[in-house]
Amino acid sequence: MCGIIGCVGREGETLDVLMNGLSKLEYRGYDSAGVALVDDDISVVKRQGELVNLEQAVKGAELGGRLGIGHTRWSTHGPPNDRNSHPHQDCTGDVAVIHNGIIENYQLLRDELTDQGHEFQSDTDTEVVSHLIERNLDAGMTQKEAFYDAIKTIEGSYAILAVFAGHDTIYAARQDSPLVLGIAEDATYLGSDVPAFRDYTDQVVYVEDGEIAIINEREWYVTDHSGTRHDKEIHTIEWNAEETGKSGYDHFMIKEIHEQPRALRQCLRGRMNELTGSITIEELGALQPTGVQFVACGTSYHAAMYGAELFREAGIPAQAFLASEFTTSPPPTGDDLVIGVTQSGETADTLSALREAKRRGATTLGVTNVIGSTVSRECDHVFYIRAGPEIGVAASKTFASQLAAMTLLVMATAPVTSSTKRDIIEAFRDLPSAVQAILDEAPLTEAIAEEYLDADAYFFIGRGLNFPVALEGALKMKEITYKHAEGFAAGELKHGPLALVSDKTPVIAIVTGDDEIARKTIGNVKEVEARDAPVIAVTDGQSDVERYADHVIRIPESHPRTAPILGNVPLQLLAYYTAAQLGRSIDKPRNLAKSVTVE
């Protein structure tokens, strides 16, 4: 959740490197931010609130340093304020640490350290690490020994960086929280995510659970907890630094909504053969599941629901589970393939569910966007959606790519007829341009958003494959507008939610095609219309839902497998324009973080 960065080898530029890295990581945490720069002493500056507060605090300050560490916080232990901001120091001020994760035994350790005379300055779990190191140094340990022993003492999830006054080394450890090394000719970097240092290098090393990384001006290396060095492969990042900028857009979210045509092309490229009507996904090998269990959270859970429906339609039993529930009461896995869907590849709940599935003997597949992520390294198979970097907290282009990937996955592994494959491949060929056509008509959606700014709530309804899209539309509205929104299977309205319908609750109905599912959804539209609810229909024009709608957002007519992907785009735009007109913090909605790395 939190963002961390470290840098060695940029003397004279250390502060600039840290601040630039924190700006690239602000999507991971923005309750507060801070930096520590090391020379003979450690200089710490930290501020509550968004990064701009820290930028003002360090402006004009003489903060030199041979090395440094920086942090953006997403609060878990203690409210967001200056004293709970990272970095945290020991009693002497000679040790500073930053941390992403949760230390589960911190209270026991804090009580023990307090009894021994250590004075704590914050409410955080992180601060125990600096005092553990201090205690070890007082006992005669070297800095390296003191850090290793502290890491062995704590329990929980962490990516931890520690620095010492007067010394040129950063010590870092990982357990269940992401940590990446950036390797350049003149400097070495540490980050919770590649964007932290992508401006300076495209060479990375992934630190695994249970490993410790040590970097200084002379060398970098990675060991286990006993100090045994590990050989590590250096990977090259394929995307460039410019992809993590706003490119002239007001927000990352609207930029990434408009990047969906390109993201879909990247997802589909090289995987479909229109001439032969075949789908080839080399990463999947010869997978032919007889049953499928999906595990995922948030937006990815909606994509998992979509994938499960596709597998069921292909005759393969499939279910989608919330990853956080799967670990507490996992169903029998048998010979089922367990698929974890996670944009970042670092979602803690999803990783735990996949690990539980592996313990039960299941074959696992990770569907992710991030090459080299934990899920890609731990699963038996990995399928990359290839959407490109996504910075906005509210997922947009990655959801569209996840839906496309689910369709490819089913066609590659399930018994789908050649004629069906050909039809879907043809529809996919036209999908990016169809999305672009919707984006070109965005002003219509913007006007509709303005009309309903005073709504009490927003209801999204759909059936079949449009049901997960309705859920996702509601989630987007909740995430970035802070307005109440709910998604429903359209047929469930009359079983309770209809009691909430009024003239202040617009109902957004996704109706595509003109089959029985569409006709039944139109029946539900009539139910809310009869109760004075304004209706916004997202439709391809094949049905007569327009007769019963107050507003119509047209999407191009397409195949039933691509229509929900198109229907999702106006819902993203509706949420975005509503949030923009309400003046919300769209890219950094309150209380949320992009990559949820704690359970």
Side-chain angles (χ1 to χ4, degrees):
M1 309 278 277
C2 304
I4 58 177
I5 182 172
C7 169
V8 173
R10 296 290 296 272
E11 187 168 3
E13 303 174 301
T14 304
L15 179 61
D16 291 340
V17 171
L18 295 180
M19 296 303 295
N20 181 60
L22 292 179
S23 72
K24 299 298 178 66
L25 293 174
E26 199 174 5
Y27 66 91
R28 296 184 64 92
Y30 39 84
D31 293 341
S32 58
V35 293
L37 289 99
V38 181
D39 271 325
D40 293 335
D41 298 314
I42 298 177
S43 300
V44 172
V45 183
K46 51 188 184 178
R47 291 292 185 272
Q48 175 188 353
E50 296 190 3
L51 187 60
V52 64
N53 296 339
L54 179 64
E55 291 171 345
Q56 291 297 322
V58 301
K59 186 177 293 184
E62 295 183 6
L63 292 173
R66 291 173 289 173
L67 66 149
I69 55 177
H71 187 272
T72 56
R73 182 175 185 239
W74 190 88
S75 304
T76 55
H77 292 70
N81 54 37
D82 285 356
R83 70 188 189 92
N84 287 331
S85 306
H86 297 216
H88 292 289
Q89 294 176 273
D90 67 333
C91 296
T92 69
D94 290 337
V95 178
V97 300
I98 57 176
H99 166 224
N100 174 20
I102 293 178
I103 298 172
E104 295 172 355
N105 62 336
Y106 90 98
Q107 191 63 60
L108 177 66
L109 294 171
R110 182 177 180 131
D111 292 343
E112 180 182 305
L113 289 160
T114 299
D115 289 342
Q116 294 169 358
H118 291 263
E119 296 182 3
F120 284 77
Q121 305 301 317
S122 76
D123 305 312
T124 69
D125 55 338
T126 303
E127 193 180 349
V128 300
V129 180
S130 58
H131 291 283
L132 284 172
I133 294 172
E134 178 190 8
R135 183 176 71 178
N136 292 340
L137 291 172
D138 289 343
M141 294 184 190
T142 65
Q143 292 172 0
K144 183 176 180 180
E145 291 169 341
F147 180 78
Y148 275 62
D149 187 80
I151 295 303
K152 293 174 184 176
T153 304
I154 62 175
E155 299 171 1
S157 63
Y158 52 80
I160 293 175
L161 273 60
V163 293
F164 298 83
H167 294 267
D168 68 348
T169 300
I170 301 177
Y171 295 88
R174 169 194 166 140
Q175 183 64 47
D176 294 333
S177 284
L179 185 62
V180 189
L181 277 167
I183 311 299
E185 289 184 6
D186 58 345
T188 308
Y189 307 88
L190 282 155
S192 51
D193 204 351
V194 173
F197 50 73
R198 181 61 186 87
D199 284 346
Y200 313 113
T201 182
D202 61 357
Q203 302 295 294
V204 304
V205 170
Y206 298 103
V207 182
E208 304 286 354
D209 285 347
E211 290 186 329
I212 293 174
I214 294 126
I215 67 172
N216 53 47
E217 295 178 354
R218 300 172 301 282
E219 62 176 344
W220 65 268
Y221 60 94
V222 176
T223 78
D224 59 23
H225 284 188
S226 69
T228 302
R229 295 201 183 196
H230 291 180
D231 292 330
K232 302 296 291 185
E233 181 181 358
I234 298 178
H235 302 265
T236 300
I237 297 300
E238 296 181 357
W239 49 268
N240 59 48
E242 286 73 23
E243 292 186 62
T244 59
K246 289 183 183 176
S247 303
Y249 288 92
D250 290 337
H251 300 94
F252 282 111
M253 184 179 180
I254 191 63
K255 168 183 178 267
E256 289 158 359
I257 288 172
H258 279 269
E259 286 178 341
Q260 287 180 116
R262 184 176 69 176
L264 287 166
R265 290 188 186 97
Q266 290 172 172
C267 178
L268 301 172
R269 185 181 300 125
R271 290 167 166 169
M272 306 184 310
N273 189 317
E274 195 168 352
L275 293 176
T276 63
S278 61
I279 302 292
T280 303
I281 305 173
E282 294 180 359
E283 308 99 298
L284 300 182
L287 271 182
Q288 291 185 313
T290 56
V292 174
Q293 295 175 16
F294 284 92
V295 291
C297 309
T299 289
S300 294
Y301 175 67
H302 300 152
M305 291 177 65
Y306 187 90
E309 175 70 14
L310 291 177
F311 270 113
R312 290 193 294 269
E313 289 183 3
I316 294 178
Q319 294 175 280
F321 296 91
L322 289 165
S324 56
E325 294 295 312
F326 185 93
T327 52
T328 56
S329 55
T333 54
D335 295 327
D336 283 1
L337 173 68
V338 178
I339 303 175
V341 188
T342 159
Q343 186 280 138
S344 67
E346 304 292 349
T347 309
D349 290 319
T350 304
L351 289 170
S352 293
L354 288 165
R355 288 162 184 161
E356 175 61 28
K358 291 200 79 169
R359 280 193 291 270
R360 298 167 71 88
T363 299
T364 57
L365 166 65
V367 178
T368 185
N369 190 41
V370 181
I371 296 172
S373 57
T374 300
V375 78
S376 70
R377 301 196 303 275
E378 291 193 4
C379 284
D380 299 303
H381 305 274
V382 62
F383 181 21
Y384 292 111
I385 66 171
R386 303 194 305 209
E390 185 175 70
I391 305 302
V393 168
S396 54
K397 67 178 181 179
T398 54
F399 181 64
S401 295
Q402 284 174 334
L403 298 190
M406 290 301 164
T407 307
L408 293 177
L409 175 61
V410 173
M411 289 199 294
T413 62
V416 180
T417 65
S418 297
S419 60
T420 299
K421 286 183 181 180
R422 287 183 183 277
D423 291 343
I424 295 174
I425 289 171
E426 183 177 346
F428 267 145
R429 180 196 62 197
D430 299 330
L431 181 60
S433 59
V435 170
Q436 186 60 56
I438 298 170
L439 295 172
D440 291 342
E441 299 298 324
L444 169 63
T445 306
E446 184 175 11
I448 294 172
E450 184 176 7
E451 183 166 343
Y452 294 104
L453 284 181
D454 63 345
D456 291 339
Y458 299 82
F459 293 161
F460 294 75
I461 62 172
R463 286 177 181 258
L465 291 174
N466 286 328
F467 172 42
V469 172
L471 293 176
E472 177 62 13
L475 179 61
K476 284 293 147 291
M477 187 67 78
K478 281 185 261 199
E479 284 179 319
I480 63 170
T481 71
Y482 314 151
K483 303 272 280 185
H484 181 69
E486 294 295 336
F488 301 104
E492 286 298 299
L493 278 177
K494 57 185 175 291
H495 296 289
L498 205 56
L500 300 174
V501 167
S502 73
D503 60 356
K504 299 289 284 184
T505 55
V507 176
I508 299 91
I510 307 101
V511 185
T512 55
D514 190 26
D515 56 7
E516 183 180 2
I517 289 177
R519 291 189 289 274
K520 286 186 175 182
T521 307
I522 292 172
N524 303 126
V525 167
K526 294 177 182 178
E527 291 171 352
V528 299
E529 180 201 31
R531 289 155 178 84
D532 297 324
V535 175
I536 302 168
V538 176
T539 179
D540 55 9
Q542 295 190 62
S543 70
D544 64 349
V545 69
E546 297 182 19
R547 296 176 56 186
Y548 313 102
D550 297 272
H551 304 276
V552 176
I553 302 175
R554 276 290 190 101
I555 62 174
E557 185 176 336
S558 64
H559 191 278
R561 292 297 177 275
T562 51
I565 302 175
L566 298 177
N568 171 62
V569 179
L571 307 189
Q572 295 174 342
L573 291 169
L574 184 66
Y576 173 79
Y577 287 122
T578 302
Q581 292 167 23
L582 290 170
R584 304 301 195 222
S585 178
I586 291 174
D587 287 334
K588 297 172 286 185
R590 67 188 183 199
N591 304 331
L592 301 179
K594 182 67 175 173
S595 179
V596 184
T597 57
V598 295
E599 293 187 72

